[in-house]
Amino acid sequence: MQAVIALTRTWADAFRAIAPGAAVEVVPNPVDIPVLEPRPEPDPSTVLYLGRLTYEKGIDVLLAGFAQVVQRHPAATLLIGAPGDPHAIDHELRRL
């Protein structure tokens, strides 16, 4: 290892502890990251799916299974995040 770049002094100290004598430089992140507001705790009755809406991914199994979940837990929510046009995604979900 010739050199390590760390974003913070804390990380630099951690790298130095792992590899004593290593050349460690702190280079802060050049992107100004806004302070995030704390979010409320997620609702435990929410299911999140992120991925393509294809048969290979088993989205049909997810939809069939979630239909059973809703029968027992009417307040349950299914959130789907998928790449593509939202109208095409809606059409595809209705087709499934």
Side-chain angles (χ1 to χ4, degrees):
M1 176 181 339
Q2 297 208 0
V4 175
I5 296 175
L7 294 176
T8 66
R9 285 186 193 272
T10 302
W11 277 107
D13 292 343
F15 290 134
R16 287 185 187 107
I18 294 169
V24 180
E25 294 292 328
V26 176
V27 178
N29 193 338
V31 178
D32 185 24
I33 301 172
V35 176
L36 299 176
E37 293 293 322
R39 295 182 181 179
E41 288 295 317
D43 184 343
S45 62
T46 299
V47 175
L48 173 64
Y49 170 83
L50 298 174
R52 291 179 290 127
L53 300 179
T54 62
Y55 180 79
E56 295 83 16
K57 293 290 185 178
I59 190 73
D60 57 327
V61 176
L62 171 65
L63 294 175
F66 192 75
Q68 293 177 20
V69 168
V70 170
Q71 289 176 358
R72 292 185 183 172
H73 306 280
T77 309
L78 174 61
L79 298 176
I80 296 177
D85 175 44
H87 298 293
I89 292 170
D90 184 57
H91 174 73
E92 184 66 15
L93 285 172
R94 291 180 192 284
R95 189 182 69 76
L96 293 170

